Amino acid sequence: MKKRVRDKDRSYWVKKAQEVFNQWIRLRDDKQPCISCGTRGPCQFHAGHYKTAGGHPELRFEPLNVHKQCAQCNNFKSGAIDQYRPRLIYRIGADNVKWLEGPHPPSKLTIDDLKGIIKDCKAKIKKESEHESNTEIREAKEDY
Ligand SMILES: [Zn+2]
């Protein structure tokens, strides 16, 4: 897409922001099993919304609402929400789950907001990756 057109296309930026946000969620939850079935793989993992982005656009980029989930639960079991909930309560606490389920003011993110989310997530990804490589160096040293 031409840059000029792209810059005004909100859906393009929503998609872009979702990609980067999901990438960060998978890194954040790297050590966690699937939020729904508890598998640690090997399998493909996605970032799975508790409250769907379609039904609750105001929670689309809410870190409490999105957790690492195996592809099976995410794609074929409609998010496996029955199993999602108890693990979610365990991880973020009942109050936060209640808050997610409660009413929220509608949000309409602007393209600038979305660009902000992208920048923010990229910084978090960078931080997580740096931490990851530091860990690797430490572990490698301990081998000798
Ligand atoms: Zn699963």
Side-chain angles (χ1 to χ4, degrees):
M1 200 186 285
K2 279 187 184 148
K3 194 172 183 298
R4 195 158 33 94
V5 180
R6 203 184 66 184
D7 271 353
K8 291 188 173 142
D9 182 2
R10 190 177 172 276
S11 64
Y12 168 85
W13 289 105
V14 169
K15 199 168 154 260
K16 209 74 200 156
Q18 191 75 72
E19 277 171 23
V20 188
F21 179 82
N22 287 359
Q23 198 191 340
W24 168 62
I25 292 292
R26 287 197 305 270
L27 266 176
R28 183 199 66 183
D29 293 357
D30 188 40
K31 304 277 187 293
Q32 303 275 13
C34 169
I35 185 91
S36 295
C37 71
T39 184
R40 290 181 181 274
C43 62
Q44 222 199 334
F45 283 102
H46 295 176
H49 285 75
Y50 177 59
K51 289 290 178 186
T52 62
H56 302 266
E58 73 281 7
L59 297 174
R60 181 188 277 278
F61 299 110
E62 167 53 57
L64 290 173
N65 188 45
V66 192
H67 298 266
K68 187 172 109 176
Q69 190 175 45
C70 77
Q72 193 75 14
C73 288
N74 190 241
N75 290 343
F76 305 112
K77 296 178 186 166
S78 308
I81 292 308
D82 291 353
Q83 292 168 283
Y84 199 135
R85 197 170 187 275
R87 277 198 182 76
L88 187 63
I89 291 172
Y90 178 75
R91 269 194 218 173
I92 69 172
D95 286 349
N96 281 324
V97 175
K98 221 172 156 184
W99 175 80
L100 284 175
E101 291 170 344
H104 305 276
S107 93
K108 178 82 177 170
L109 296 168
T110 64
I111 289 177
D112 279 343
D113 292 335
L114 293 163
K115 286 180 180 171
I117 290 171
I118 293 171
K119 208 177 149 195
D120 187 44
C121 288
K122 279 189 174 165
K124 286 176 181 166
I125 289 168
K126 193 162 174 262
K127 215 174 146 198
E128 292 276 355
S129 321
E130 276 165 6
H131 177 75
E132 199 60 37
S133 56
N134 286 344
T135 312
E136 269 166 34
I137 290 164
R138 253 202 318 276
E139 281 166 3
K141 274 181 186 161
E142 279 165 13
D143 281 341
Y144 294 97

